[in-house]
Amino acid sequence: IRRELAKADFSERFALYFQPIVNARTGLIEKAEALLRSQDHSINGIAPSLVVSVAEDSGQIVALTDWTIDTALRAAQGLQVPVAINLSPAYFRRADFADKLIDRLIEARCPPSALIVEVTEGVLIADVKQARETIDHLRAIGIEVWLDDFGTGYSSLSYLQNFELDGVKLDRSFIQEVGRSDKAARIVRAMIDFSHSLGMKT
């Protein structure tokens, strides 16, 4: 994987697939999530999460994420809906991350509202002060920040208390049981009501 990441243009080896995010009340597509997928036979079939993990360990995550952001911003113009991207802790913790992201928006001629940043608990737990400052900076210029995989961490509720976020995405381990488990349905309903009470989308 490291060898393939070091070769040529990322666009020759990867593509972004866009998963629609649908408003449950209106049935309309409101956003799209950018998903990294391999289109190179040498790494085909390898889970994207493993590719990202290797890229983080090798330091190649910076170049890969830069390419992902640029590709997502170009797509946002054609899709005409905001595009969400997942950011790894290693990328998010860079001191110049927010400023570089703004530069990329300007270069792509995209408004900040065209981009949604999704972070996981790992982003928040490493350096609470720095993470809060970065999130506040992004939200101040109009970029939404969502907490991904909500409900699986040890301190998820404390994150909602300590960070100003635009929304949460419930972890699939809860959602996949809805319709099969009354307990799961009650937990999901409670988490939705709870996040809505804090002014967050879910």
Side-chain angles (χ1 to χ4, degrees):
I1 295 172
R2 287 184 182 182
R3 282 198 305 269
E4 293 306 317
L5 285 171
K7 291 179 184 176
D9 192 337
F10 285 126
S11 60
E12 296 179 4
R13 282 168 170 70
F14 298 101
L16 292 186
Y17 284 41
F18 295 92
Q19 177 174 281
I21 299 174
V22 178
N23 184 311
R25 289 195 176 97
T26 66
L28 299 176
I29 296 174
E30 290 192 346
K31 309 174 180 71
E33 181 178 2
L35 304 173
L36 184 69
R37 295 291 182 262
S38 167
Q39 58 179 10
D40 187 289
H41 68 88
S42 58
I43 51 176
N44 234 353
I46 296 175
S49 58
L50 178 56
V51 173
V52 170
S53 178
V54 170
E56 286 180 327
D57 291 341
S58 66
Q60 294 162 307
I61 191 65
V62 173
L64 181 59
T65 305
D66 285 343
W67 174 84
T68 299
I69 292 170
D70 291 341
T71 306
L73 289 175
R74 285 196 299 271
Q77 295 173 322
L79 294 171
Q80 298 184 331
V81 294
V83 172
I85 57 169
N86 298 91
L87 290 183
S88 74
Y91 193 88
F92 186 88
R93 285 196 296 263
R94 297 173 66 210
D96 61 350
F97 157 65
D99 293 331
K100 292 291 186 184
L101 188 56
I102 293 168
D103 289 343
R104 303 192 103 79
L105 283 164
I106 293 171
E107 188 175 336
R109 298 184 179 180
C110 282
S113 58
L115 193 64
I116 299 166
V117 168
E118 295 184 4
V119 297
T120 59
E121 186 178 276
V123 165
L124 307 181
I125 201 170
D127 186 334
V128 173
K129 182 176 181 294
Q130 186 265 335
R132 185 186 295 117
E133 289 175 354
T134 301
I135 288 171
D136 290 347
H137 189 177
L138 295 176
R139 296 184 73 243
I141 64 169
I143 297 175
E144 287 191 7
V145 181
W146 284 57
L147 179 61
D148 201 6
D149 299 336
F150 178 69
T152 57
Y154 294 110
S155 307
S156 291
L157 296 183
S158 72
Y159 296 141
L160 299 187
Q161 177 175 296
N162 291 319
F163 294 92
E164 294 295 329
L165 300 162
D166 294 285
V168 296
K169 293 177 69 179
L170 305 186
D171 188 75
R172 72 176 66 190
S173 61
F174 298 105
I175 302 302
Q176 66 189 6
E177 292 301 317
V178 171
R180 293 186 289 188
S181 164
D182 287 341
K183 179 184 277 189
R186 291 192 189 101
I187 289 172
V188 168
R189 179 178 291 277
M191 288 195 292
I192 291 172
D193 290 342
F194 175 71
S195 59
H196 284 178
S197 72
L198 295 177
M200 293 185 296
K201 302 170 188 173
T202 314

